[in-house]
Amino acid sequence: RTRFRGLHCPGVASTLCAPLSRACRRMDVLSASLAQYGVPLVGLNVLLQQLGLPIPAVPTMIVAGAMAAASRISATGVFAASVAASVFADLLWFWAGRRYGYRVLKLLCRVSLSPDACVRQTEGIFERYGFISVVVSKFVPGFSTVAPPMAGALRMPLGPFLGAAVASAALWVGAAMAAGWVFSRQVDVVLGWMAQNSAAAAMAIGALLAAYV
């Protein structure tokens, strides 16, 4: 198991070095935690992201896929837990949209520069593509969280929504885990490189997190 060494940042302000060092160590903690807690950790990560927290789940699922290829974690368990967590979060948002209507969407769209335009665009996508829009929502940045409450607000029947949510989650989780499985050696190489190049790796992680948030 790789361990990140101390991060040295010559010429870099200490206020910047410390957060980057923590970001780099978190990647090592991720690998160690997956090896120890595995399935529940991945499921929790997926649940928190789908509830709207800025905690990326795709990197976790990719690493889990790579670990599954080496038989260090149960691929079936990770897949089932991740899909269940995603569908559970979608159902919560669906019922919130059904109960509170567009107020939920406006709340979610507040991060947008134009909340009203955000709601109109989301409604337009859903009304045009319906069932398919929910299926592909996990692959569209910004649409994953707002699609379920929109479906609820527009009174989409529960059965079709549940089918779309399961299909969407299965495709999303399957794609991430498959990428980790197929490129398991490359994932190991990347993690090894990060262990040996802590400063560069930490800066890259910091930039990706900033872009994501």
Side-chain angles (χ1 to χ4, degrees):
R1 191 187 319 170
T2 56
R3 289 289 181 190
F4 290 117
R5 294 163 179 80
L7 178 63
H8 302 288
C9 303
V12 180
S14 59
T15 55
L16 177 62
C17 179
L20 292 179
S21 178
R22 290 194 295 269
C24 194
R25 286 197 298 269
R26 278 197 287 268
M27 286 301 296
D28 184 55
V29 171
L30 172 61
S31 297
S33 298
L34 281 176
Q36 183 174 0
Y37 300 108
V39 173
L41 180 64
V42 181
L44 178 62
N45 192 173
V46 170
L47 176 63
L48 293 178
Q49 179 189 323
Q50 293 305 299
L51 287 177
L53 276 66
I55 306 175
V58 170
T60 306
M61 293 187 292
I62 290 176
V63 173
M67 294 177 66
S71 299
R72 295 173 57 193
I73 194 173
S74 169
T76 303
V78 170
F79 180 82
S82 299
V83 170
S86 178
V87 172
F88 178 72
D90 285 350
L91 283 173
L92 290 180
W93 283 121
F94 176 82
W95 287 115
R98 179 69 62 88
R99 181 179 178 86
Y100 300 106
Y102 284 83
R103 286 177 291 176
V104 175
L105 291 170
K106 290 183 178 180
L107 175 65
L108 293 173
C109 284
R110 280 182 180 175
V111 295
S112 171
L113 293 177
S114 179
D116 292 336
C118 170
V119 173
R120 288 195 301 270
Q121 290 171 2
T122 303
E123 183 178 13
I125 292 173
F126 186 85
E127 289 182 338
R128 183 174 182 181
Y129 298 104
F131 180 90
I132 297 300
S133 68
V134 179
V135 174
V136 302
S137 63
K138 296 286 187 292
F139 298 92
V140 182
F143 191 59
S144 176
T145 305
V146 297
M150 174 60 75
L154 294 179
R155 301 294 172 177
M156 182 179 185
L158 177 59
F161 171 79
L162 186 58
V166 171
S168 180
L171 290 171
W172 178 58
V173 175
M177 290 189 64
W181 185 292
V182 172
F183 299 103
S184 58
R185 292 185 179 180
Q186 289 81 355
V187 172
D188 288 338
V189 169
V190 170
L191 292 176
W193 176 85
M194 293 175 65
Q196 298 177 5
N197 301 272
S198 301
M203 293 182 70
I205 294 172
L208 289 173
L209 288 175
Y212 180 85
V213 175

